[in-house]
Amino acid sequence: MNTISVIFNVNGTNWEGPHIEELAYQRNLHVLHQMKTHGMTIKNGETILSDDDIDYLTKEQAWKVSVENRMAHTGQEIQKMYQDSFAKSDEMWKELVFSQNKPMRRSYCHMKVEGVSLEEFMKIMGAMQKDEKVGLSAHPEHFQTIVNEKDITGIEPFGMYGTPTLVHVAIIQEGQLSATILADKDDTYPISMTGLARLTDNVTDVNIPYHQFKPLKDGFEAKLAVYWPEQVVDEIVEGHSLHLATEFYEGLKMIVKAQN
């Protein structure tokens, strides 16, 4: 991105645009192979792709093919194709027993942006939730996004690990957070977004995202966090920090594209 400066810090390591684009490329290839394994016909235009063909896609082609093929199936079709995968991930989350009143682990990513206002960024975040194509374009492993008055229904493998999980994400207020999570509240960041992800059994909680934002003169900073059960594997904790960086970076790219 030529007109925007952005750095993500994950566990003390700075991730810049080229690093994130390479990660997104690998995840796009991965999800295309996974979709094919789950019974989908993967196409580039009218051409049906084999597994070998998928591995010959360039970065740009992989994004295009990935988004188009995820868009080609309704949420109901995706849910039917992935029902065995959901059963596996559901079992894992039920065993982990998340509660914000118990010890938790945290995925965390600090984001600093110059060249885009917080207001502009909030608009694209809203579009990610309401416009399916924007939501799918934000990360290779986002599937459906259905928004209603109560919650958001989404599908993704959390932390880019294991199989996708089908969840409802309810928007909650800071006052519904436990003291443990609120201990991470930074009063210099006046804006926050908070949610609660729950399996479709409406009983099993999965995680709590809690993102804090601070406007700057020519940009903004963000503290992006997701809280998990204490016994969740390292790969989810670490992987979701990078998932957040990828998702928000792609949102910034959409803003640049709209400006040019």
Side-chain angles (χ1 to χ4, degrees):
M1 294 186 291
N2 296 326
T3 60
I4 293 178
S5 170
V6 57
I7 294 179
F8 297 90
N9 188 278
V10 178
N11 296 325
T13 299
N14 286 341
W15 284 68
E16 299 185 28
H19 308 128
I20 295 172
E21 289 175 2
E22 180 61 29
L23 175 63
Y25 179 40
Q26 297 304 322
R27 300 316 293 180
N28 268 316
L29 296 179
H30 171 78
V31 78
L32 287 169
H33 286 298
Q34 284 294 306
M35 290 165 67
K36 191 170 183 296
T37 298
H38 281 77
M40 300 184 203
T41 300
I42 304 301
K43 293 184 177 182
N44 184 5
E46 295 303 315
T47 302
I48 297 175
L49 302 183
S50 67
D51 282 301
D52 284 347
D53 293 331
I54 289 170
D55 286 331
Y56 275 87
L57 295 172
T58 64
K59 285 188 179 76
E60 184 176 352
Q61 289 170 336
W63 259 119
K64 173 180 175 291
V65 171
S66 172
V67 172
E68 288 179 352
N69 281 271
R70 282 179 283 147
M71 285 285 295
H73 298 277
T74 65
Q76 288 73 22
E77 289 172 340
I78 295 291
Q79 289 184 35
K80 184 176 181 180
M81 291 176 181
Y82 276 80
Q83 59 185 338
D84 291 341
S85 295
F86 296 151
K88 192 171 184 67
S89 59
D90 283 1
E91 181 182 6
M92 177 182 70
W93 295 117
K94 289 174 182 178
E95 289 178 355
L96 288 170
V97 191
F98 174 77
S99 169
Q100 61 170 320
N101 295 310
K102 296 181 179 180
M104 291 171 287
R105 303 191 67 188
R106 183 181 72 154
S107 296
Y108 179 76
C109 175
H110 180 269
M111 173 184 184
K112 184 173 183 180
V113 178
E114 295 178 355
V116 167
S117 70
L118 183 55
E119 181 180 9
E120 290 175 303
F121 187 71
M122 287 299 183
K123 287 180 180 178
I124 201 69
M125 286 193 69
M128 286 182 193
Q129 297 175 355
K130 296 177 182 178
D131 185 320
E132 184 181 19
K133 186 171 184 179
V134 174
L136 300 184
S137 299
H139 196 282
E141 292 177 289
H142 285 177
F143 285 92
Q144 74 181 99
T145 301
I146 300 173
V147 181
N148 57 41
E149 293 180 357
K150 294 183 178 180
D151 56 34
I152 302 166
T153 299
I155 298 170
E156 67 179 71
F158 287 111
M160 303 182 290
Y161 170 85
T163 59
T165 301
L166 175 64
V167 293
H168 296 317
V169 183
I171 305 303
I172 63 175
Q173 304 302 313
E174 278 192 357
Q176 296 172 264
L177 298 176
S178 69
T180 300
I181 295 178
L182 286 176
D184 293 328
K185 177 178 172 58
D186 187 334
D187 290 333
T188 68
Y189 286 65
I191 300 169
S192 66
M193 297 178 62
T194 306
L196 171 63
R198 178 172 288 168
L199 297 183
T200 53
D201 63 6
N202 290 320
V203 173
T204 307
D205 294 344
V206 174
N207 63 46
I208 287 185
Y210 178 39
H211 306 322
Q212 302 177 73
F213 301 89
K214 174 171 65 176
L216 302 174
K217 183 177 180 180
D218 186 35
F220 65 94
E221 290 188 43
K223 294 185 173 185
L224 312 174
V226 176
Y227 296 81
W228 307 98
E230 182 183 19
Q231 301 302 321
V232 76
V233 297
D234 293 344
E235 285 76 10
I236 288 180
V237 177
E238 297 164 3
H240 207 75
S241 298
L242 292 172
H243 178 111
L244 292 170
T246 303
E247 179 176 343
F248 284 52
Y249 176 74
E250 292 301 327
L252 290 170
K253 285 173 61 177
M254 293 178 206
I255 295 172
V256 173
K257 185 176 180 179
Q259 291 175 342
N260 293 334

